[in-house]
């Protein structure tokens, strides 16, 4: 049957299983995506399904509860942000097992207006994927939360500074991503982000130095600088 906003969890899962691909699962594993509960369906196929089934909070909770990668991506895409609570996000975060699901969840956190309370808490959390969530959410917020004041991002840059020495792969990449995205958000944020990047680039810590050098390279790119100058 064709999927629609009236489709049940069982119908959605049954449809997803018809799209499963062992070949795609193997490809996902090469990109560091957890595949033990994956069907191997690319996001380019999942996204149109999300648009078909539309938003439903209770169904999103049930999709998440299946544990299936594709169902969880649909859960983050089709939940109703106004109904999402901090306790729900905390419960989800406790089960994060892949950078990919973290980055999908960051969009839901921003849409649910929970970024300001989750980011400091998750940055302080020692669990790798929970800490990644903090910085993935900063990067996402820098692009999508258009009305958030610059002061919010200045505060989040301090978290970047604090955790720039975390050498775990999925954390350091997210810290770097957050720094670059904040620096590209606005002319007012470009300078403090670049100054932090230069500070980290000169660090004696290998991880902080990598984060800083990579961010300096992007934030001094002539095209980036020109675009920001045009906004002044």
């Amino acid at each position: 049957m064709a999927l629609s906003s009236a489709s049940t969890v069982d119908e959605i899962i049954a449809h997803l299983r018809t799209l499963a691909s062992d070949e795609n699962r193997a490809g996902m594993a090469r990109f560091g995506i957890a595949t033990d509960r994956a069907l191997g369906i690319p996001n380019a196929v999942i996204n149109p399904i999300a648009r078909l089934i539309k938003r439903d909070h209770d169904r999103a909770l049930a999709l998440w509860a299946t544990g299936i990668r594709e169902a969880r991506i649909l859960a983050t895409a089709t939940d109703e942000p106004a109904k999402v609570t901090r306790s729900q996000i905390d419960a989800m975060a406790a089960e994060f097992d892949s950078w990919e699901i973290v980055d999908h969840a960051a969009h839901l956190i921003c849409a649910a207006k929970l970024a300001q309370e989750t980011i400091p808490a998750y940055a302080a959390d020692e669990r790798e994927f929970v800490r990644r969530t903090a910085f993935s959410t900063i990067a996402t917020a820098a692009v999508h939360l258009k009305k958030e004041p610059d002061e919010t991002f200045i505060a989040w840059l301090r978290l970047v500074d604090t955790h720039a020495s975390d050498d775990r792969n999925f954390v350091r990449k997210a810290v770097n991503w957050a720094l670059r995205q904040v620096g590209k958000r606005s002319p007012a944020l470009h300078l403090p982000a670049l100054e932090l990047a230069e500070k980290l680039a000169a660090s004696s810590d290998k991880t902080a130095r990598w984060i800083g050098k990579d961010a300096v390279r992007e934030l001094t790119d002539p095209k980036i600088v020109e675009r920001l100058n045009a906004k002044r």
Side-chain angles (χ1 to χ4, degrees), residues 176-210:
N176 169 263
W177 182 26
L179 177 56
R180 290 184 289 109
Q181 291 302 103
V182 170
K184 294 186 294 182
R185 177 180 168 87
S186 71
L189 289 170
H190 181 257
L191 180 59
L194 180 57
E195 288 176 343
L196 175 55
E198 290 171 338
K199 171 191 170 184
L200 295 178
S203 172
S204 60
D205 182 88
K206 180 180 178 181
T207 301
R209 194 162 60 248
W210 173 82

Side-chain angles (χ1 to χ4, degrees), residues 13 16 37 41 86 106 142 166 176:
I13 297 300
L16 291 175
R37 292 179 292 178
I41 305 171
R86 170 68 187 277
D166 190 325
N176 169 263

Side-chain angles (χ1 to χ4, degrees), residues 121-231:
Y122 287 6
D125 197 298
E126 290 296 331
R127 291 172 290 181
E128 182 174 8
F129 289 113
V130 179
R131 181 167 289 169
R132 179 187 174 89
T133 305
F135 294 98
S136 177
T137 303
I138 291 172
T140 302
V143 176
H144 295 286
L145 297 188
K146 305 294 187 183
K147 296 182 180 179
E148 196 67 38
D150 289 340
E151 290 75 14
T152 299
F153 292 93
I154 293 294
W156 290 342
L157 282 177
R158 290 194 283 272
L159 296 176
V160 169
D161 193 10
T162 298
H163 296 288
S165 60
D166 190 325
D167 64 357
R168 291 174 294 180
N169 188 46
F170 296 117
V171 175
R172 71 185 182 95
K173 287 185 175 180
V175 173
N176 169 263
W177 182 26
L179 177 56
R180 290 184 289 109
Q181 291 302 103
V182 170
K184 294 186 294 182
R185 177 180 168 87
S186 71
L189 289 170
H190 181 257
L191 180 59
L194 180 57
E195 288 176 343
L196 175 55
E198 290 171 338
K199 171 191 170 184
L200 295 178
S203 172
S204 60
D205 182 88
K206 180 180 178 181
T207 301
R209 194 162 60 248
W210 173 82
I211 288 170
K213 285 184 176 180
D214 187 72
V216 167
R217 186 162 44 249
E218 182 160 355
L219 295 178
T220 56
D221 183 285
K223 291 181 180 178
I224 299 296
V225 174
E226 182 180 1
R227 178 176 61 80
L228 288 169
N229 285 337
K231 291 183 177 181

Side-chain angles (χ1 to χ4, degrees), residues 48-64:
I49 293 174
R51 291 192 289 271
L52 280 173
I53 65 176
K54 303 190 185 302
R55 295 188 180 275
D56 184 308
H57 178 64
D58 291 334
R59 189 182 59 199
L61 292 175
L63 283 168
W64 181 269

Side-chain angles (χ1 to χ4, degrees), residues 35-126:
T35 58
D36 56 321
R37 292 179 292 178
L39 298 175
I41 305 171
N43 288 325
V45 175
I46 297 174
N47 293 338
I49 293 174
R51 291 192 289 271
L52 280 173
I53 65 176
K54 303 190 185 302
R55 295 188 180 275
D56 184 308
H57 178 64
D58 291 334
R59 189 182 59 199
L61 292 175
L63 283 168
W64 181 269
T66 67
I68 298 169
R69 167 194 171 266
E70 289 76 5
R72 288 192 158 183
I73 292 174
L74 284 175
T76 64
T78 63
D79 207 332
E80 298 175 73
K83 296 182 179 179
V84 174
T85 63
R86 170 68 187 277
S87 61
Q88 175 189 339
I89 294 296
D90 287 348
M92 292 168 64
E95 298 179 356
F96 288 163
D97 61 355
S98 173
W99 65 265
E100 180 195 37
I101 196 64
V102 165
D103 295 354
H104 282 284
H107 287 271
L108 181 59
I109 291 170
C110 287
K113 300 180 180 179
L114 293 170
Q116 290 215 39
E117 62 180 279
T118 57
I119 285 171
Y122 287 6
D125 197 298
E126 290 296 331

